Amino acid sequence: MRRIVVAITGASGTIYGVRLLQALQATPGIETHLIMSKWAKQNLAVEQTGYTLQQVNEMADVVYDDREMGATVASGSFMHDGMVIVPASMKTVAAIATGLADTLIGRAADVTLKERRPLLLVPRESPFNQIHLENMLKLARMGVEIIPPIPAFYNHPKTIDDLIDHNTMKLLDHLHIQNAFGGRWQGLAAAKKDAKGANSK
């Protein structure tokens, strides 16, 4: 059984975290541990994701309150196979970069770093200012994987779900979890064939 910690912060893009939970739930042999910040819970409704907090909680095997500093994931002795913060607010990125473990999300990320386990961040801000960039560079130099939700268009996305699925594919790939999300690049010949077929319609 592999354990994955998923944290959802108050940045825009709550649906990215929800979709990752859905994908992990559908994957055999994965145990998910979920932490949602107060503002992530607000965004779940504000962004009209179509999911209730109860539904999202039910996608995870274990759920923690972000203020629960005595939770198992707050300890480096808790063994897991990676932590994903999706989406990651710039406040959370700054807290991790400076070691300010004042929430369970920040503390869980801190122990993930100190135990040298995979930590993936999906930063959601635009444009990035110098502080944001310097914080992310600092974390990248520590081995944190920075995976912003930048869409690809070679796979001809037709819906918002297609764009979300592509980012989910990237996260699963970096967690070394096999998946069929997102539509992978099949090479230039296949792309030209698809374009020719589309133009003939």
Side-chain angles (χ1 to χ4, degrees), residues 61-88:
D61 294 290
V62 185
V63 179
Y64 308 93
D65 189 285
D66 195 27
R67 298 165 296 181
E68 190 182 344
M69 298 301 285
T72 54
V73 293
S75 171
S77 65
F78 176 79
M79 300 296 293
H80 66 76
D81 299 279
M83 178 177 182
V84 187
I85 305 180
V86 50

Side-chain angles (χ1 to χ4, degrees), residues 98-188:
T98 57
L100 182 63
D102 62 338
T103 66
L104 183 58
I105 291 175
R107 172 60 184 169
D110 190 71
V111 298
T112 297
L113 279 173
K114 80 180 181 72
E115 300 298 331
R116 302 192 183 279
R117 299 185 184 123
L119 177 59
L120 284 58
L121 298 184
V122 181
R124 251 295 305 132
E125 187 60 89
S126 182
F128 293 120
N129 66 32
Q130 185 175 341
I131 296 171
H132 303 155
L133 293 168
E134 288 179 349
N135 284 335
M136 287 188 286
L137 177 60
K138 181 179 181 180
L139 291 172
R141 285 172 171 162
M142 296 181 201
V144 176
E145 299 184 61
I146 310 295
I147 308 175
I150 297 172
F153 294 95
Y154 58 76
N155 55 355
H156 312 296
K158 295 179 175 58
T159 66
I160 292 176
D161 279 345
D162 290 340
L163 300 176
I164 296 168
D165 283 347
H166 182 79
N167 191 75
T168 302
M169 176 190 77
K170 292 280 189 182
L171 297 175
L172 293 172
D173 286 352
H174 283 259
L175 290 168
H176 306 291
I177 296 173
Q178 291 188 351
N179 68 92
F181 275 85
R184 298 180 184 279
W185 174 246
Q186 300 298 322
L188 188 57

